[in-house]
Amino acid sequence: DIVMTQSPESLAVSLGDRASITCKSSQTILHSPNNRDFLAWYQKKPRQPPKLLVYWATMRASGVPDRFRGSGSGTDFTLTITSLQPEDVAVYYCQQYYRHPLTFGGGTKVEIK
Amino acid sequence: QVRLVESGGGVVQPGRSLRLSCAASGFNFGKYGMYWVRQAPGKGLEWLALISYDESNEYYGESVKGRFSISRDNSKNMVYLQMNSLRADDTAVYYCVKGVEEVVDINYFDDWGQGTLVSVSS
């Protein structure tokens, strides 16, 4: 199985500051023939289903503010919130869809400092 | 728009069975793989099961393999999760999820139901 490891487990950031979350896969999730990384990021708020933020490691989903940016390739990925807003308080998860079983990272809780 | 509505959750004793249902609408159901994902209290997201758009393939997470079974009825736009031999650690909110891309078995997810709570307790 591909293990997804997120860090940190939690972070507190001041409003307007940058928040960065890393996700590391235990093996490459880059599909060389099409040069795509099979990685997605989700935002999870209490009592709501997860919301897709980023797919193919760097593509922002429809309607997602441009302060959310995905980067990285191969085994190392980052989700950056460039200017934290109050509504960004949530838990963030990465997910690989390179092969079964589909696996998620353990989550990163983002709070306001 | 896409709508996924889960039902069937509730309180069940350890060792018993429960069947979750998911009613889908707003898309061509028969062309998409369907998934179940859960979140236990205070825990992260865990993918459980996939059934291919045409029922040709089923995949399961290790924690539920042999106990849970996914099925679908394309004539009714329904997907099911049969859960047997339930344990306390199966307590979670269970989400019905649609894959993004048609036909393919492996996917990321852009449409989720609101979830249904399953509590396994004596």
Side-chain angles (χ1 to χ4, degrees):
Chain A
D1 297 4
I2 299 177
V3 177
M4 306 301 289
T5 303
Q6 282 183 238
S7 61
E9 288 187 6
S10 65
L11 75 161
V13 176
S14 299
L15 286 173
D17 281 358
R18 178 183 299 252
S20 293
I21 301 166
T22 63
C23 175
K24 191 173 183 69
S25 57
S26 60
Q27 54 190 272
T28 186
I29 54 176
L30 171 64
H31 186 56
S32 297
N34 61 12
N35 203 36
R36 282 184 161 182
D37 291 280
F38 285 54
L39 184 101
W41 288 96
Y42 302 88
Q43 178 191 65
K44 177 71 171 70
K45 295 181 179 180
R47 295 170 297 282
Q48 294 184 22
K51 174 186 175 183
L52 177 67
L53 297 175
V54 170
Y55 57 99
W56 300 125
T58 62
M59 302 291 292
R60 234 181 342 265
S62 176
V64 173
D66 62 6
R67 63 180 180 273
F68 290 94
R69 296 181 185 171
S71 62
S73 185
T75 61
D76 294 282
F77 303 90
T78 301
L79 177 70
T80 301
I81 310 172
T82 56
S83 175
L84 192 74
Q85 301 302 303
E87 60 268 31
D88 301 335
V89 170
V91 180
Y92 294 83
Y93 294 91
C94 59
Q95 177 225 341
Q96 66 81 18
Y97 48 102
Y98 186 76
R99 68 163 55 100
H100 281 289
L102 307 178
T103 46
F104 291 90
T108 296
K109 186 174 186 179
V110 174
E111 299 172 304
I112 305 292
K113 187 187 293 183
Chain B
Q1 74 279 20
V2 173
R3 193 157 183 248
L4 301 167
V5 180
E6 304 93 341
S7 60
V11 180
V12 61
Q13 292 178 329
R16 304 297 289 263
S17 298
L18 203 62
R19 188 175 87 150
L20 304 183
S21 301
C22 172
S25 60
F27 64 103
N28 192 341
F29 181 76
K31 288 198 169 185
Y32 290 86
M34 295 297 296
Y35 303 73
W36 288 94
V37 174
R38 73 183 177 185
Q39 185 175 34
K43 302 290 187 182
L45 299 172
E46 180 186 14
W47 168 77
L48 299 178
L50 148 75
I51 186 164
S52 298
Y53 71 103
D54 60 354
E55 302 179 72
S56 60
N57 291 311
E58 297 173 22
Y59 295 91
Y60 296 93
E62 200 59 41
S63 65
V64 303
K65 203 176 291 184
R67 298 190 300 125
F68 290 13
S69 175
I70 190 171
S71 61
R72 65 190 294 161
D73 185 338
N74 284 353
S75 69
K76 296 181 179 178
N77 287 11
M78 296 289 297
V79 63
Y80 307 97
L81 187 68
Q82 177 68 41
M83 305 186 294
N84 300 328
S85 303
L86 282 161
R87 311 186 300 226
D89 62 0
D90 292 317
T91 294
V93 175
Y94 286 72
Y95 294 99
C96 172
V97 190
K98 168 189 162 291
V100 166
E101 297 191 8
E102 292 184 5
V103 176
V104 298
D105 281 348
I106 195 154
N107 249 307
Y108 57 99
F109 309 126
D110 61 349
D111 291 293
W112 301 64
Q114 288 298 310
T116 186
L117 177 62
V118 173
S119 294
V120 184
S121 172
S122 54

